[in-house]
């Protein structure tokens, strides 16, 4: 392993204790330690924050430069890859793809080829490193298959990560019903497509004892469903990415394909409901949904373009925006960015306690910069936040006590 | 008197009568800019009715009609408009083009641009596609229909038809009927007619009515008879074949029974109500033959005539800058 390291004078964000304290952090042999090691190297974190590395729950690409720039030390990889993560050998290869830098935690396909018909070998894939199973970019249409997936995964103690859109209502829709879609002449679906899907899967989870995690919940009715289900003790959790908290369908503007997402951007009212759900604890996870798409997928008419946002690099800065606006405090933010994903996926991280892996980030919360699609280190710069001024920059990404090389910006 | 009541364009002090480089939609046009185009079209209506229908103002300029979706009448109309103004007109049918070989739209646009077109008329099945091309080329682009979004020259020719037949557009009660959801003609007409002060209603089965359509300043009806009550203009839309059988409505005959324009139904409208249809018509489905052929009230062939004049006006106005027209910047 690596040697010793001391991070001096930083403000330590501890999501487990819910505190922020000025404290030095010591690292020995890749783990957080009580005491400084002999001849420890030093990082000066004066006026900066030190926090557990971000665990990004549900990325669509392995994009190490973007993860390092974004302060992501572990990324859970969606099964929608080429080939699909539906066999143990493919899962094992993905699990080793990022080491020793950012660790990739594969999420296995719940059904073979993500076809939604036959159960995939969840148990074997778990042994090869899968930390959850998922239905991928779409949900499983057949309720009977989803029922089996949830009950089988429950026995393995794996959560089932799903997408909440009813395929019958959403079909080939590229936007949410409303004035924007009508003005632009875009095919659209009612927002309740999400709540209908959540209602079904919550009932299936209740019946099977399985844990269902909705990767992106984006509508007022959807949050109501999750809130109610949590009260009745169903194992349910949900995530959101910053676009749904900061933008609405109005931001599609003149057919901006960078603002084409799946699920699609919602109404301004749904965006407000998402902010309330963030404040009241309904939302468990903030994720980037990192999905770099080059010009061949985005420089097209809106209906022909692929959905997706290159979100890893901007995840922290956009999330800090939510803290500044008072929707949650900084320690809670890291619960959603790091501690909760670790807990849900049952992986190390998300903690600054002694003995935890030294997956840490040092960031300057006030440092201003402008998001520039052309200057991103990611595989592609498809961000709906292009040109937006933000604050907060990661200065160090430390994985297992080792400072990761930052790509030149 | 509001500006929309005036028959000829009153351009505000200091404003340019038409400051746009492209015509991608009615959206974004000021009322006087729309009226200006209608005024400009009048001279071409006159010219087109003479035995010698020729003007040389576009001589030496190349007009490319790039149609990525089938069309007969709109393509023909733009071709005639270009030729009557002396342009060299080339038609590109994308059905036979390299788009089928996987070339992206923007690459195709760059290719057309490199051939030094002076005007490009585009029809494309995707909403927003024409604006996407307009951003990438160096010459004026005219939208001849993009997806469900806009078909601005259709709205202009409809407005010109109404203005000539009814004397003015402001305060006219116009009922647009049929498949509003998938109709670019409906969207452009709503924007154009409301901008010019008309009272616009839309009538459609609930499955073919776009959400939040009232936000565009119209009143929505699902009951046909109620919707056309007192209408001065009844504008029927074409129902596409693929929507007829169970997908959006149960059948063509049920659609005719509930939403077809028949002589009996027309009784609910004003006695001298104008009947319009952008064509091609499905006789016996959205419109009964005797209504379509009513020489006193149907303006359907006149719409086609106005179409050529309006397109001549658009081609002329949009190329004035590159032709160095006096007093035009």
């Amino acid at each position: 392993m690596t040697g010793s390291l001391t991070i001096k004078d930083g403000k330590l964000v501890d999501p487990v204790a819910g505190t922020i304290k000025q404290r030095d952090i010591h690292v020995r042999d890749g783990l957080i330690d009580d005491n400084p090691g002999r001849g420890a190297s030093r990082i000066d974190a004066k006026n900066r924050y030190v926090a557990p590395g971000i665990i990004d729950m549900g990325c669509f690409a392995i994009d190490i430069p973007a993860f390092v720039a974004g302060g992501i030390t572990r990324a859970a990889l969606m099964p929608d890859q080429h080939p699909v993560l539906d066999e143990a050998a493919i899962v094992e290869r993905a699990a080793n793809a990022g080491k020793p830098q950012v660790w990739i935690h594969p999420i296995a396909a719940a059904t073979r080829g993500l076809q939604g018909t036959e159960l995939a070998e969840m148990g074997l894939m778990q042994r090869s490193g899968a930390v959850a199973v998922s239905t991928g970019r779409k949900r499983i249409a057949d309720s009977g298959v989803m029922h089996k997936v949830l009950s089988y995964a429950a026995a393995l103690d794996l959560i089932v990560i799903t997408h909440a859109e009813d395929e019958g209502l959403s079909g080939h829709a590229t936007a949410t019903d409303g004035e924007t879609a009508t003005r632009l002449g875009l095919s659209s679906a009612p927002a309740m497509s999400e709540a209908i899907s959540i209602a079904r899967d919550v009932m299936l989870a209740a019946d099977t004892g399985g844990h269902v995690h909705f990767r992106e919940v984006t509508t007022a009715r959807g949050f109501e469903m999750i809130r109610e289900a949590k009260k009745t003790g169903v194992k349910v959790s949900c995530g959101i990415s910053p676009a749904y908290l900061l933008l609405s369908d109005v931001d599609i503007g003149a057919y901006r394909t960078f603002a084409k997402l799946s699920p699609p951007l919602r109404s301004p009212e749904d965006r407000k409901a998402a902010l309330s759900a963030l404040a009241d604890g309904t939302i468990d996870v903030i994720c980037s949904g990192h999905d770099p798409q080059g010009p061949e997928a985005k420089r097209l008419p809106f209906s022909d373009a692929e959905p997706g946002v290159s979100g890893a690099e901007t995840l922290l800065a956009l999330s800090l925006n939510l803290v500044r606006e008072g929707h949650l405090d900084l320690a809670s933010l890291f619960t959603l960015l790091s501690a909760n994903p670790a807990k849900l996926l049952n992986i190390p991280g998300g903690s600054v306690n002694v003995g935890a892996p030294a997956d840490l980030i040092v960031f300057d919360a006030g440092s201003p910069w402008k998001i520039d699609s052309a200057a991103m280190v990611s595989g592609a710069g498809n961000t709906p936040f292009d040109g937006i001024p933000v604050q907060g920059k990661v200065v160090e990404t430390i994985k297992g006590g080792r400072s990761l090389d930052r790509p030149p910006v | 008197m509001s500006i929309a009541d005036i028959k000829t364009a009153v351009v505000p002090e200091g404003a340019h009568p038409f400051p746009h480089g492209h015509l991608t939609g009615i959206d974004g046009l000021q009322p006087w800019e729309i009226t200006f185009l209608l005024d400009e079209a009048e001279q071409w209506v006159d010219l087109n009715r003479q035995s010698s229908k020729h003007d040389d103002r576009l001589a030496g300029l190349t007009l490319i009609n790039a149609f990525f979706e089938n069309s007969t009448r709109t393509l023909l109309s733009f071709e005639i408009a270009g030729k009557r103004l002396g342009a060299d007109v080339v038609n590109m049918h994308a059905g036979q083009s390299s788009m089928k070989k996987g070339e992206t739209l923007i690459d195709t646009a760059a290719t057309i641009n490199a051939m030094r077109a002076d005007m490009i008329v585009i029809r494309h099945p995707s909403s927003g596609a024409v604006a996407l091309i307009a951003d990438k080329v160096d010459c004026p682009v005219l939208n001849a229909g993009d997806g469900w979004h806009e078909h601005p020259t259709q709205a202009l020719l409809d407005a010109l038809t109404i203005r000539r037949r009814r004397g003015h557009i402001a305060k006219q009660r116009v009922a647009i009927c049929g498949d509003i959801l998938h109709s670019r003609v409906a969207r452009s007409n709503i924007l154009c007619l409301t901008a010019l002060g008309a009272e616009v209603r839309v009538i459609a089965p609930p499955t073919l009515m776009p959400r939040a359509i009232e936000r565009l300043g119209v009143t929505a009806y699902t009951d046909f008879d109620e919707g056309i009550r007192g209408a001065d203009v009844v504008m029927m839309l074409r129902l596409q074949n693929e929507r007829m059988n169970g997908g959006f409505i149960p059948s063509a005959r049920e659609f005719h029974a509930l939403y077809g324009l028949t002589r009996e139904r027309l009784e609910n409208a004003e006695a001298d109500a104008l009947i319009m249809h952008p064509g091609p018509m499905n006789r016996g489905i959205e419109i009964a033959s005797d209504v379509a052929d009513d020489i006193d009230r149907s303006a359907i062939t006149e719409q086609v005539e106005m179409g050529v004049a309006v397109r001549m006006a658009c081609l002329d106005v949009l190329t004035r800058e590159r032709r160095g027209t006096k007093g035009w910047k």
Side-chain angles (χ1 to χ4, degrees):
Chain A
M1 291 300 272
T2 49
S4 311
L5 171 72
T6 295
I7 305 170
K8 290 283 289 177
D9 299 329
K11 288 172 276 188
L12 182 67
V13 182
D14 183 344
V16 179
T19 57
I20 296 170
K21 282 186 191 151
Q22 188 92 27
R23 216 189 86 189
D24 291 351
I25 274 254
H26 307 295
V27 175
R28 266 168 72 168
D29 294 334
L31 302 176
I32 295 171
D33 203 303
D34 265 335
N35 302 302
R38 278 164 54 98
S41 54
R42 278 186 174 209
I43 291 174
D44 178 15
K46 199 166 182 218
N47 298 324
R48 287 170 173 165
Y49 289 96
V50 182
I54 295 171
I55 300 175
D56 198 357
M57 197 165 155
C59 297
F60 289 93
I62 299 174
D63 191 346
I64 304 296
F67 293 154
V68 174
I72 295 161
T73 50
R74 294 170 188 265
L77 182 68
M78 290 295 285
D80 314 68
Q81 307 294 320
H82 302 286
V84 171
L85 306 185
D86 66 351
E87 288 211 29
I90 303 168
V91 165
E92 192 172 335
R93 199 172 62 128
N96 291 316
K99 288 175 188 173
Q101 302 186 69
V102 176
W103 283 24
I104 303 300
H105 295 284
I107 299 169
T111 57
R112 279 184 219 277
L114 289 170
Q115 292 298 306
T117 48
E118 300 162 37
L119 299 189
E121 293 170 330
M122 300 180 215
L124 294 179
M125 290 192 283
Q126 184 180 30
R127 289 183 192 174
S128 297
V131 293
V133 296
S134 175
T135 65
R137 289 182 190 269
K138 301 226 177 306
R139 74 165 187 171
I140 291 174
D142 186 322
S143 308
V145 175
M146 187 61 176
H147 190 256
K148 291 183 189 82
V149 164
L150 276 161
S151 57
Y152 196 86
L156 297 169
D157 219 9
L158 289 172
I159 66 167
V160 179
I161 300 174
T162 191
H163 180 87
E165 273 187 295
D166 178 274
E167 54 292 320
L169 281 169
S170 289
H172 297 291
T174 55
T176 308
D177 276 357
E179 185 182 347
T180 297
T182 291
R183 279 188 184 277
L184 296 176
L186 295 175
S187 60
S188 61
M192 64 162 174
S193 173
E194 176 175 287
I196 284 178
S197 188
I198 291 173
R200 183 198 75 169
D201 288 346
V202 162
M203 292 181 88
L204 294 174
D207 186 66
T208 56
H211 182 134
V212 63
H213 175 85
F214 299 95
R215 198 175 57 83
E216 304 267 21
V217 177
T218 58
T219 63
R221 295 288 297 279
F223 293 117
E224 276 169 36
M225 293 269 169
I226 303 274
R227 223 172 261 135
E228 286 308 307
K230 282 183 171 179
K231 274 187 207 155
T232 60
V234 181
K235 290 182 196 159
V236 56
S237 53
C238 71
I240 193 167
S241 48
Y244 302 101
L245 292 159
L246 300 167
L247 305 175
S248 66
D249 61 356
V250 178
D251 294 289
I252 294 171
Y255 303 100
R256 292 171 67 217
T257 57
F258 283 1
K260 182 172 178 179
L261 276 59
S262 172
L265 284 171
R266 305 300 190 181
S267 68
E269 292 74 30
D270 280 327
R271 177 178 95 90
K272 280 189 204 128
L275 290 169
S276 306
L278 188 69
D280 72 13
T282 305
I283 296 173
D284 302 278
V285 171
I286 297 179
C287 59
S288 75
H290 190 62
D291 194 2
Q293 300 277 359
E296 62 286 351
K298 285 288 190 183
R299 261 178 45 163
L300 294 171
F302 196 84
S303 59
D304 304 334
E306 293 292 335
V309 169
S310 177
E313 283 170 79
T314 56
L315 178 60
L316 180 65
L318 293 170
S319 301
L320 286 171
N321 214 16
L322 301 165
V323 174
R324 262 192 305 278
E325 286 176 4
H327 301 294
L328 75 176
D329 62 44
L330 189 57
S332 306
L333 174 64
F334 276 87
T335 304
L336 271 63
L337 285 174
S338 187
N340 280 352
K343 201 158 64 181
L344 287 165
L345 300 173
N346 196 21
I347 57 177
S351 162
V352 290
N353 291 340
V354 169
D359 297 356
L360 298 163
I361 58 172
V362 180
F363 65 96
D364 183 341
S367 160
W369 58 291
K370 201 177 197 177
I371 296 174
D372 178 0
S373 157
M376 286 169 79
V377 299
S378 163
N382 51 305
T383 171
F385 298 100
D386 187 28
I388 303 277
V390 287
Q391 277 175 278
K393 204 139 208 196
V394 178
V395 272
E396 289 282 352
T397 304
I398 299 157
K399 177 79 193 75
R402 207 174 66 104
S403 192
L404 298 181
D405 289 337
R406 309 186 55 70
V409 176
Chain B
M1 200 182 222
S2 85
I3 192 158
D5 285 322
I6 299 168
K7 274 213 267 173
T8 47
V10 177
V11 179
E13 185 96 13
H16 190 283
F18 200 82
H20 310 279
H22 307 288
L23 182 67
T24 54
I26 299 295
D27 193 20
L29 299 186
Q30 299 295 336
W32 63 84
E33 293 165 3
I34 297 171
T35 309
F36 173 74
L37 290 177
L38 302 184
D39 295 345
E40 286 290 320
E42 293 284 0
Q43 61 182 307
W44 305 121
V45 177
D46 295 341
L47 179 87
N48 290 339
R49 287 179 177 177
Q50 288 164 21
S51 54
S52 170
K53 311 169 183 63
H54 201 73
D55 186 282
D56 273 330
R57 66 186 62 199
L58 300 188
L61 300 189
T62 304
L63 164 64
I64 297 184
N65 290 318
F67 277 57
F68 298 91
E69 191 182 80
N70 285 336
S71 162
T72 308
R73 18 174 81 226
T74 306
L75 178 59
L76 193 59
S77 184
F78 269 109
E79 184 172 358
I80 290 170
K83 285 183 170 162
R84 288 204 179 145
L85 292 177
D88 299 315
V89 184
V90 185
N91 296 332
M92 187 193 112
H93 303 274
Q96 306 145 15
S97 84
S98 49
M99 292 295 284
K100 286 248 160 108
K101 298 174 196 159
E103 184 177 64
T104 70
L105 182 59
I106 286 179
D107 290 339
T108 307
T111 305
I112 297 172
N113 193 47
M115 291 176 186
R116 306 260 174 202
D118 297 292
M119 303 151 270
I120 307 176
V121 173
I122 300 165
R123 167 168 288 192
H124 195 280
S126 294
S127 299
V130 175
L132 184 68
I133 296 178
D135 270 355
K136 311 286 176 203
V137 298
D138 306 317
C139 68
V141 167
L142 277 91
N143 183 358
D146 63 325
W148 310 346
H149 178 225
E150 282 228 44
H151 189 356
T153 56
Q154 178 71 43
L156 292 169
L157 75 87
D158 288 338
L160 185 61
T161 306
I162 296 171
R163 191 170 85 167
R164 288 174 65 99
R165 287 286 282 257
R166 310 284 310 184
H168 57 99
I169 292 166
K171 305 278 190 322
Q172 291 288 304
R173 280 163 295 200
V174 183
I176 306 175
C177 322
D179 182 358
I180 307 290
L181 179 64
H182 302 103
S183 178
R184 54 195 175 213
V185 173
R187 280 177 181 73
S188 285
N189 260 307
I190 289 169
L191 294 168
C192 183
L193 294 169
T194 54
L196 298 178
E199 179 199 317
V200 180
R201 306 152 177 196
V202 293
I203 308 171
T207 47
L208 292 173
M209 184 75 85
R211 291 298 174 94
I213 190 76
E214 316 77 41
R215 299 294 287 273
L216 273 63
V218 302
T219 317
Y221 294 88
T222 50
D223 182 316
F224 192 99
D225 297 325
E226 201 187 320
I228 68 162
R229 190 157 294 138
D232 301 303
V233 178
V234 180
M235 189 184 286
M236 303 306 296
L237 299 173
R238 178 181 167 79
L239 183 70
Q240 301 289 338
N241 292 329
E242 65 266 26
R243 323 240 195 253
M244 284 184 204
N245 299 317
F248 287 85
I249 52 162
S251 69
R253 67 177 186 177
E254 173 150 330
F255 184 80
H256 183 67
L258 271 62
Y259 294 94
L261 184 64
T262 59
R263 186 155 295 285
E264 192 186 11
R265 221 172 228 143
L266 198 52
E267 295 292 313
N268 288 305
E270 285 295 297
D272 59 347
L274 199 60
I275 298 157
M276 300 175 74
H277 192 298
M281 285 184 280
N282 291 305
R283 287 171 180 267
I285 298 177
E286 70 262 5
I287 190 164
S289 273
D290 60 335
V291 177
D293 298 335
D294 183 332
I295 49 165
D296 294 325
R297 298 166 77 179
S298 169
I300 295 171
T301 49
E302 198 173 322
Q303 286 173 271
V304 178
E305 183 190 0
M306 294 307 122
V308 176
V310 154
R311 286 164 185 134
M312 289 168 81
C314 293
L315 293 172
D316 169 29
V317 169
L318 284 170
T319 53
R320 281 185 190 174
E321 193 181 346
R322 62 175 44 215
R323 287 186 286 121
T325 303
K326 232 179 174 178
W328 191 271
K329 260 212 241 155

